[in-house]
Amino acid sequence: SRIIKRMLLSRFFGTLARKPSPSSPLVGYTIKIKELIQNGDIRRAKALLRTLQTELVQPDVVLYSTLLKYYTQQRNIRGALNIITEMKKSGVKPDEITFNTISKLHLDMGDEKGAKHWLNEMQHSGIKPTIITYTQWLKHYVDHQNDKGTRDILTQMENSGLHPDTFTFSVLVKQQVLRNNINGAVYLIERMLHTKTPPHQVPVARVLKMLIDHNHLSRAKRLLTKVVASGSVLDHITFNIILRYLLANDKSHEAARYISFIFRTQPNILSHPEFFRACVDQSTPFPFLDRLVNAFSQSRARHDIFLCNTLMHLLAEHKDESSAIRLLEHMLNANMHPDQTTFSKLIQLMCNTRNFDGALQVIRIMKDSCDPSLAPYNQLLFACASAKSPKYVPIILEEMVSARIAPDAETVAHLRLFPEYKDQQQLIQLLRSVGTRLEDVRRVIDVN
């Protein structure tokens, strides 16, 4: 009967349901149970646990903790307590992870009394509370704005010889921000730096925003400089807090120095596609963009072509033509050699604003600055057709001939949008009149 039972279990649970090898009797079962739990199949996981007991294999604390974690995620207090009961019946002693997990479940459900019971059980079992234990309680008290509870937990932590880690400090910073306590929040960030605890970007961003909201610009900049000097890695959102303030208050020169600071310390931030976008107030983009271009032009970051193209794209989105032209002038003056992407974005902007004279001028600059492509010419032809402006067609085609760029099928399709050039003979005559080579004409038009 044992052989038949083993065969049935093997089919139901897979090969891992066989009795594990003596060298690692629980590894296979634990992996399988964890896999079943991750798939939400708690019924089969518990059945496999019973199989373990039938096979006289003693489950360990790791396996029980795996099941306990599942019930915690489901916020199933009854199921979690049943796992603890089973552990005790099996003679398996809960470890710090077990106690922390069940305590967190009680705290998440607002049951302080139940959580304290397990904290006491933990201590009576001879297991010292860990930094995770205290941080769970700190987070609970901070979320419920319980200052006394926060102080008591910090005292217990210090008495046990433990020091706050990054997450613990983050919880405490959140409390100070909620209390609008600037000095307390800044002190905690500086305390983290003093104890060489790497500050996370979230609490840093919270404190910076609080300082900026209270117009403490100098203090915010000093704090950010200290955090960056510590080697902490921050995201573009954190850096944007100060930059937005500088731009909103028309401090372009200061913003330029700030961008240079970012460029020196964490240049990858400037390469983030959302960096400049996040600087712009969508309701009033033009003042922000104008000031941003001023700041960008004066900063050391002007040597990065990718950054300029990112900003040019943003200017094109907001149809800020004057700022885009100034940015191009800055690039040319700085010998940055704008590429096809730069010119394409600017030409697209001018096509959208129907500044065809300006677009032609940019095309001429492009011809002298980089290897031109056909795309901008076709783009301009289509925009002129949409605006019913045929007078620019010969000029555009002449610029193409001058740049030694041959028309393609798309060029012809755009030309046919003009009533004047729907007739094939008129189209051929147009192309030949501007100097297009006969072989290029024959390649795109069926010439008899």
Side-chain angles (χ1 to χ4, degrees):
S1 61
R2 287 177 63 85
I3 294 174
I4 293 173
K5 182 179 179 182
R6 190 182 292 276
M7 290 172 63
L8 291 174
L9 285 169
S10 179
R11 286 185 179 182
F12 188 59
F13 294 111
T15 56
L16 290 175
R18 298 173 190 155
K19 187 174 181 178
S21 63
S23 59
S24 55
L26 289 173
V27 173
Y29 287 104
T30 302
I31 292 174
K32 185 62 179 178
I33 287 176
K34 187 174 182 179
E35 178 184 321
L36 291 170
I37 289 175
Q38 287 174 343
N39 293 329
D41 196 346
I42 189 64
R43 181 182 63 83
R44 291 178 65 186
K46 293 186 72 174
L48 188 54
L49 178 62
R50 288 193 294 271
T51 302
L52 267 173
Q53 296 165 336
T54 303
E55 295 289 327
L56 302 179
V57 177
Q58 180 65 46
D60 64 358
V61 67
V62 175
L63 196 152
Y64 279 119
S65 295
T66 302
L67 290 166
L68 183 62
K69 184 179 179 181
Y70 168 81
Y71 286 112
T72 301
Q73 291 171 344
Q74 299 296 316
R75 299 174 70 89
N76 185 339
I77 190 72
R78 183 176 178 181
L81 292 174
N82 286 338
I83 294 297
I84 299 291
T85 302
E86 285 190 38
M87 290 179 70
K88 291 181 177 180
K89 286 182 179 178
S90 301
V92 177
K93 292 183 178 181
D95 62 4
E96 62 188 54
I97 296 176
T98 309
F99 284 118
N100 285 339
T101 303
I102 190 67
S103 295
K104 184 177 185 302
L105 176 57
H106 282 280
L107 288 173
D108 289 345
M109 299 183 71
D111 181 12
E112 282 189 28
K113 184 177 179 181
K116 284 180 180 177
H117 165 76
W118 291 110
L119 179 59
N120 293 332
E121 282 280 316
M122 185 179 191
Q123 293 169 327
H124 291 157
S125 300
I127 300 174
K128 292 183 178 181
T130 64
I131 191 72
I132 295 175
T133 311
Y134 291 119
T135 301
Q136 288 177 173
W137 279 95
L138 281 173
K139 184 177 184 303
H140 172 76
Y141 285 134
V142 167
D143 290 343
H144 290 78
Q145 300 185 9
N146 186 334
D147 292 337
K148 182 180 182 302
T150 301
R151 288 193 298 270
D152 290 345
I153 287 295
L154 282 173
T155 301
Q156 291 179 39
M157 183 187 296
E158 291 172 357
N159 292 339
S160 66
L162 294 174
H163 301 285
D165 61 5
T166 299
F167 185 72
T168 310
F169 271 118
S170 298
V171 172
L172 295 173
V173 169
K174 180 182 177 183
Q175 182 192 49
Q176 299 303 316
V177 172
L178 290 173
R179 294 289 187 278
N180 207 24
N181 183 355
I182 294 176
N183 292 332
V186 172
Y187 167 77
L188 287 170
I189 298 294
E190 291 178 339
R191 181 68 181 169
M192 292 177 76
L193 299 174
H194 178 72
T195 58
K196 300 189 183 305
T197 306
H200 191 267
Q201 60 195 24
V202 173
V204 173
R206 282 177 173 155
V207 177
L208 288 176
K209 187 176 185 307
M210 182 168 62
L211 288 168
I212 290 299
D213 288 345
H214 289 79
N215 294 318
H216 295 310
L217 174 62
S218 298
R219 199 171 181 185
K221 289 168 66 178
R222 285 197 303 271
L223 182 63
L224 180 62
T225 302
K226 291 179 182 178
V227 172
V228 171
S230 73
S232 298
V233 178
L234 305 175
D235 62 0
H236 70 283
I237 298 174
T238 307
F239 281 101
N240 266 325
I241 293 171
I242 293 178
L243 184 56
R244 277 186 59 86
Y245 176 84
L246 294 172
L247 295 173
N249 290 276
D250 201 13
K251 297 178 181 290
S252 297
H253 291 287
E254 207 166 340
R257 291 194 295 272
Y258 182 65
I259 291 177
S260 295
F261 164 73
I262 300 173
F263 188 69
R264 290 194 308 272
T265 56
Q266 295 194 25
N268 60 303
I269 293 296
L270 292 173
S271 299
H272 195 285
E274 291 299 317
F275 178 76
F276 291 124
R277 190 184 304 278
C279 296
V280 178
D281 187 337
Q282 297 298 321
S283 60
T284 56
F286 296 106
F288 271 75
L289 285 169
D290 183 65
R291 295 164 191 169
L292 183 56
V293 171
N294 284 338
F296 189 76
S297 299
Q298 297 168 33
S299 72
R300 285 183 56 190
R302 61 182 178 273
H303 302 296
D304 194 321
I305 185 69
F306 176 79
L307 303 182
C308 287
N309 286 343
T310 302
L311 184 51
M312 186 67 78
H313 176 73
L314 184 62
L315 295 168
E317 280 189 350
H318 287 279
K319 298 181 180 180
D320 190 347
E321 190 175 306
S322 61
S323 295
I325 292 172
R326 284 195 296 108
L327 179 60
L328 178 63
E329 291 173 348
H330 156 67
M331 295 173 72
L332 294 170
N333 293 334
N335 295 320
M336 291 183 62
H337 306 294
D339 57 15
Q340 288 188 20
T341 302
T342 314
F343 289 110
S344 177
K345 294 297 180 184
L346 184 52
I347 291 169
Q348 176 189 350
L349 166 59
M350 291 183 167
C351 286
N352 290 338
T353 58
R354 297 192 174 184
N355 181 3
F356 302 133
D357 290 311
L360 280 168
Q361 184 61 31
V362 172
I363 281 179
R364 294 184 183 109
I365 297 173
M366 177 183 68
K367 186 173 60 176
D368 297 330
S369 302
C370 65
D371 293 331
S373 66
L374 178 58
Y377 296 94
N378 283 340
Q379 186 179 26
L380 184 52
L381 280 172
F382 180 75
C384 289
S386 301
K388 299 179 180 179
S389 300
K391 69 175 184 177
Y392 292 99
V393 172
I395 306 173
I396 297 171
L397 294 176
E398 287 172 358
E399 291 295 336
M400 289 175 60
V401 171
S402 174
R404 297 183 180 180
I405 294 178
D408 63 359
E410 184 180 354
T411 310
V412 173
H414 293 336
L415 289 173
R416 291 189 188 277
L417 295 175
F418 294 91
E420 296 87 345
Y421 307 118
K422 284 186 179 293
D423 180 74
Q424 181 161 299
Q425 287 302 120
Q426 290 179 322
L427 186 55
I428 294 172
Q429 184 180 354
L430 169 68
L431 290 171
R432 293 294 291 147
S433 68
V434 297
T436 306
R437 297 185 306 171
L438 181 59
E439 54 266 35
D440 292 332
V441 175
R442 284 175 172 168
R443 183 170 49 81
V444 294
I445 301 177
D446 183 16
V447 181
N448 295 323

